[in-house]
Amino acid sequence: MANDTAATPMMKQYWAFREKLPANTLLFFRCGDFYEMFGEDAERGAEILGITLTKRGGAALAGVPYHALSNYLAKALKAGVKIAICEQTETPQAGKLVPRAIVRIVTAGTNFDETQLDAKSNNYILAVDENKRGLHAAWIDATTGDFYVATSREPQKLVATLQAIRPSEILIPESWQQGNAPDYLEPIIEWNLITRMPDWKFDAEGGRRSVQKALNVNSLDGFGVAENHPALGPAGALLAYLTETLCESPSFLRKISELRSDETLLIDAASTRNLELFKSAAGTRESSLLAAIDYTHTAAGARLLEQWLAAPPRKVEIARERQEGVAAFVDHPSSAERVRTALAYVKDIARILGRLQNHMRTPRELGAIRETLRRIPEIKQELAYLGSPVINALAARISEHAQLRDLLEAALEEELPSTIEGAIRSGYNARLDELRDIRTNSKTWLAEYEAGLQESTQIKNLRVRYNNAFGYYIEVSKSNTGRVPEAFIRRQTLVNAERYTTAELRKKESEILHADELVSSQEADLYAELVAATIAQTESLSESAAALSQIDVLAGWAQLAQIWDYCRPTVDDSDVLEISLGRHPVVEQMLHRPGVSQHFVPNDTALQASDAQINLITGPNMAGKSTYIRQVALIALLAQIGCWVPAKSAHVGLADRIFCRVGASDELARGNSTFMVEMNETANILNNASPKSIVILDEIGRGTSTYDGLSIAWAVAEYLHGNGPAGPRTLFATHYHELTRIADTLPRLKNFCVAVKEWNDEIIFVRQVIPGAADRSYGIHVARLAGLPESVVSRANEILSDLEGASISFKDPHPPKNAPAISEESTPAETLAEEPAKRPAKPRTGKAKIRDAAAEARPPVPPREDRQLSLF
């Protein structure tokens, strides 16, 4: 079809554009009020977009209305397809081919449509490359201009950051196409839209030049980025991609920042998921930590909060500075409330500027900036009352932009339409007012003009009239032609009259006949001037918006602290993690939902890398072990990002990493069983945890046989403890009660349990974590609560009694003194894996045989007299 010599000029034009686009891109070709697709694009587009497929001249044809473009873009992007928008660049004229041009290519990462973007999350495009110097990355949010680079010789550390930013699109070198992508990038790459680019576009030197040009600087030193930074290669690839998709060089970038993994608390993807930081187990933002602490009133504030949570600082000064900001609002609740009320009217300046700079301009964008500028004086006044150096520093970055505000107030209507027509306020521009008057009051002008001529010429029967042949004219009877002024220009002679015109009437005729066009042109020119005046203030507006977003987060955290009784934690560089009456920030709020009214039971925690390093926690199912250990990690994380925490008091030594291994899931698509996933995550922890880390482990080893699982759990605990003076602060929850014996040989490991009350053969969960070891899991009680048939529960109790009464040999990893010693090369795993003592060879039948089989599958339970019941 593309080479069909019989094709019409328009179709040849279409195919000329189509041939320049990659296969995964649909071409939307503007034809009047529709965007048309032809050939294979039409067939694929009809399937993806759910529209009718027809034929024209033997070619497949499909189209969508231009006014519904946004809806169809959303469908295409969801299907992983890019859309090239080809617009008519001139007004169509009969018999002439309309000039067209591709004005932009919309992709997941270059979509500016506010109806399709999550206002509370950034929309990043990520570019990655790898060489001998490590893993290098750059990412940009084209809607806000946020631009970052990062590099690491330890790729896994950088991968944790890249997973946290959750890019919507990834650029990789073409050489990775044949399966050469590093294995550690698979979790990121497989979830996203991938675009492959020539390897030479990732050249660091070329990238440096591109970045300097985009930022309009001669050096990157002022941004703290070295001239030879290896991530400038991916940054250059990003800029080349933006230039290609936006169909112009990106002019919206103002700065570039380097993110250093050694300055950031790292949380890998598995831990992020297990702690439900950004999404709950259900896959939604609701019931996540982010949702629980988000009391922001602006979209930019919500995005900043997400950024802070994704990259917690490892600098005490930053955490304390944010705490101080929260404290200022907590101490002045009235001013804080007025600030929050004003912030609710602050619009998304960063994304508005992005749309304006990328030619996506509607009057409501400028109206939103005007509304924001109206609120700034009130906000600054209230901030001044707080008397906080931290808040004062932020307030100093917020400019009132009085001149721009006054300009927008004078120029824009109060209620703004979605198009430019009618957006300019009456009285702002005399010429526009005149044109509008002409359009709406032409009859009045003509009547007044006629009356004026009658008076000046004294020709009482002079008339101003109109016909299609001559337009507007002045008609004078034959008897009065002698009174006609010299300025009159004869146009037509009739039997009884003469017809004239004047220069003024000709001008007015042109204005009347083209009034709509002239009004639209004048409005567009005036609006363009307002946009230019706004864009000229981009740097100052962006700085003000950034400061307002920080104010929003801090004021929101103050509200969070007041509503939920949070405390200001002590944050330092120590190895301590002490919490008094701590609570889970998410679960606590869930217990106070409408229709639910329960009290969350707080608990204490005392960990220290060089002292009480590991808390081994045992207790019944459903008693709250998992909730407790995760709440400790979340409190530590909140303290590190500068938020107050749900506790009576807390002392948190900053961590370098937080690991959380909980739950059970598989990765069938990648060939990993539940147990393999568990072991992969555990291996990641053991290989990367340091004495500055916080480790949360729940039920390690339960995905395999009892002895294997217990052996692995035992060995993991020993490894985390190590032989040195300190280790990662660890909470280790387990049902392997035999594991509690390890406290006899590991001095920095302490036993804790979650207490329960037993009453009338029932158990009551009191959710209290106390010193000591539990001896039972109460699994059968939980089974009854879950609704298992009573016959099953009764039978389970019978089997349990038989098992507990049976004589089952279990090799104690700490045998009596007269037992053979375990060599240093031997491990608990090896010892525990030994077979139990042989049973008599006599054949067994019936219930005895069942008891033997059950005994083989279950580890022994110490005699009751040797156990300590955790009763509350």
Side-chain angles (χ1 to χ4, degrees), residues 501-648:
T501 188
T502 66
E504 185 177 9
L505 182 59
R506 281 182 173 177
K507 179 182 177 182
K508 185 60 66 175
E509 177 186 31
S510 176
E511 291 176 346
I512 292 172
L513 296 179
H514 301 90
D516 286 338
E517 181 181 339
L518 291 171
V519 167
S520 297
S521 176
Q522 185 71 9
E523 286 180 327
D525 289 344
L526 293 172
Y527 184 74
E529 292 175 4
L530 296 175
V531 170
T534 302
I535 291 177
Q537 300 294 319
T538 293
E539 188 169 348
S540 179
L541 285 168
S542 298
E543 181 68 11
S544 296
L548 285 169
S549 65
Q550 291 187 50
I551 291 292
D552 188 23
V553 174
L554 298 177
W557 279 351
Q559 187 177 17
L560 170 72
Q562 290 169 317
I563 293 175
W564 296 103
D565 192 25
Y566 281 21
C567 75
R568 179 176 180 174
T570 298
V571 177
D572 56 28
D573 286 317
S574 70
D575 65 348
V576 170
L577 179 51
E578 295 179 349
I579 301 169
S580 174
L581 300 180
R583 312 183 303 277
H584 194 294
V586 179
V587 176
E588 180 180 38
Q589 293 185 20
M590 293 176 65
L591 294 179
H592 287 79
R593 291 173 299 177
V596 180
S597 182
Q598 298 183 37
H599 174 65
F600 188 93
V601 179
N603 277 292
D604 297 341
T605 303
L607 289 170
Q608 187 170 1
S610 57
D611 187 3
Q613 175 212 336
I614 302 175
N615 284 0
L616 186 68
I617 303 163
T618 51
N621 292 291
M622 289 184 60
K625 298 190 302 296
S626 296
T627 298
Y628 167 69
I629 61 177
R630 281 190 254 196
Q631 87 183 27
V632 173
L634 295 181
I635 288 173
L637 175 58
L638 290 178
Q640 193 144 339
I641 65 174
C643 185
W644 289 23
V645 301
K648 180 180 180 181

Side-chain angles (χ1 to χ4, degrees), residues 93-150:
Q93 297 181 20
K96 183 180 178 182
L97 179 64
V98 183
R100 292 178 173 87
I102 293 178
V103 296
R104 61 187 174 115
I105 300 175
V106 183
T107 73
T110 61
N111 185 14
F112 288 82
D113 192 332
E114 63 179 333
T115 64
Q116 299 172 26
L117 294 172
D118 182 353
K120 293 187 173 185
S121 295
N122 283 99
N123 188 46
Y124 288 117
I125 316 175
L126 168 68
V128 291
D129 193 13
E130 184 195 39
N131 57 27
K132 294 180 180 179
R133 298 176 64 183
L135 178 64
H136 321 299
W139 57 99
I140 289 177
D141 183 342
T143 68
T144 63
D146 294 338
F147 189 8
Y148 298 93
V149 291

Side-chain angles (χ1 to χ4, degrees), residues 719-734:
Y719 189 93
L720 288 170
H721 185 281
N723 297 320
R729 291 162 287 181
T730 302
L731 292 174
F732 195 144
T734 183

Side-chain angles (χ1 to χ4, degrees), residues 295-314:
Y295 278 69
T296 58
H297 289 70
T298 70
R303 288 197 302 272
L304 179 64
L305 172 58
E306 187 175 61
Q307 292 170 19
W308 283 2
L309 190 59
R314 286 174 57 186

Side-chain angles (χ1 to χ4, degrees), residues 446-465 474-476 480 483 485 488:
L446 290 170
E448 291 176 351
Y449 183 64
E450 180 183 84
L453 291 177
Q454 290 173 349
E455 184 177 351
S456 64
T457 62
Q458 293 299 306
I459 303 174
K460 300 303 180 184
N461 62 354
L462 179 151
R463 296 289 182 268
V464 176
R465 294 176 175 170
I474 303 167
E475 186 172 282
V476 179
N480 289 311
R483 297 181 181 182
F488 278 31

